[in-house]
Amino acid sequence: MAGRVRALVGDGAIDVAVEQVGGSARGASLALLAPLGRLVVMGNASGADDVALSANTLWFASTSIMGFNLRLVSAVAAERVRRAMRFALECIADGRLRVEVTGVLPLAGAADAHRRIEARETMGKLVLKVSDDS
């Protein structure tokens, strides 16, 4: 896993890694952090057991790990999440932020989209197009 990630990021260390897979991907992401780098844990799509590590690992490398659960944050800070989402959508609309879309399906293809996601056949985002002829 670390080799695949290294191929994507090159030889430089990573300042922030947002990790949603868990298991070996979480350990690989942690190993790639630069000093003062942060690993943001946002999920466990692999369903793997958590990665056990000593706090000394973080201390010696001067790195940190934080968890981010959007459901909880939305419940306790709804207005803040609303503002952040609006800002993100504005950035997408005006081109400051690019979202990799790997497929566009008609709304009638929702079941196929879920099948592809569950089978881990996708990278990037699938979009369901809602129109009069969907």
Side-chain angles (χ1 to χ4, degrees), residues 102 113 116-126:
T102 57
R116 290 160 88 180
I117 293 167
E118 290 168 9
R120 295 193 167 104
E121 295 174 355
T122 62
M123 293 285 288
K125 304 297 178 199
L126 291 178

Side-chain angles (χ1 to χ4, degrees), residues 52-63:
L53 72 141
S54 164
N56 282 348
T57 300
L58 302 174
W59 172 47
F60 290 138
S62 293
T63 56

Side-chain angles (χ1 to χ4, degrees), residues 3-131:
R4 288 176 38 198
V5 175
R6 178 58 66 205
L8 292 172
V9 301
D11 291 332
I14 298 171
D15 295 319
V16 178
V18 179
E19 202 283 309
Q20 301 172 342
V21 177
S24 62
R26 187 161 297 155
S29 296
L30 183 62
L32 294 171
L33 291 178
L36 303 180
R38 176 177 292 175
L39 175 63
V40 181
V41 176
M42 293 183 58
N44 190 24
S46 69
D49 290 335
D50 198 7
V51 175
L53 72 141
S54 164
N56 282 348
T57 300
L58 302 174
W59 172 47
F60 290 138
S62 293
T63 56
S64 63
I65 300 174
M66 73 168 286
F68 181 80
N69 182 315
L70 184 56
R71 178 180 285 182
L72 175 65
V73 173
S74 295
V76 299
E79 180 57 26
R80 190 171 181 181
V81 170
R82 186 195 66 73
R83 286 193 314 268
M85 292 297 294
R86 178 170 294 212
F87 177 71
L89 290 172
E90 289 170 0
C91 289
I92 292 168
D94 68 18
R96 287 181 282 168
L97 180 63
R98 187 177 145 270
V99 176
E100 184 177 341
V101 176
T102 57
V104 178
L105 302 169
L107 185 56
D112 184 45
H114 280 276
R115 183 200 58 73
R116 290 160 88 180
I117 293 167
E118 290 168 9
R120 295 193 167 104
E121 295 174 355
T122 62
M123 293 285 288
K125 304 297 178 199
L126 291 178
V127 174
L128 294 177
K129 184 176 181 181
V130 179
S131 66

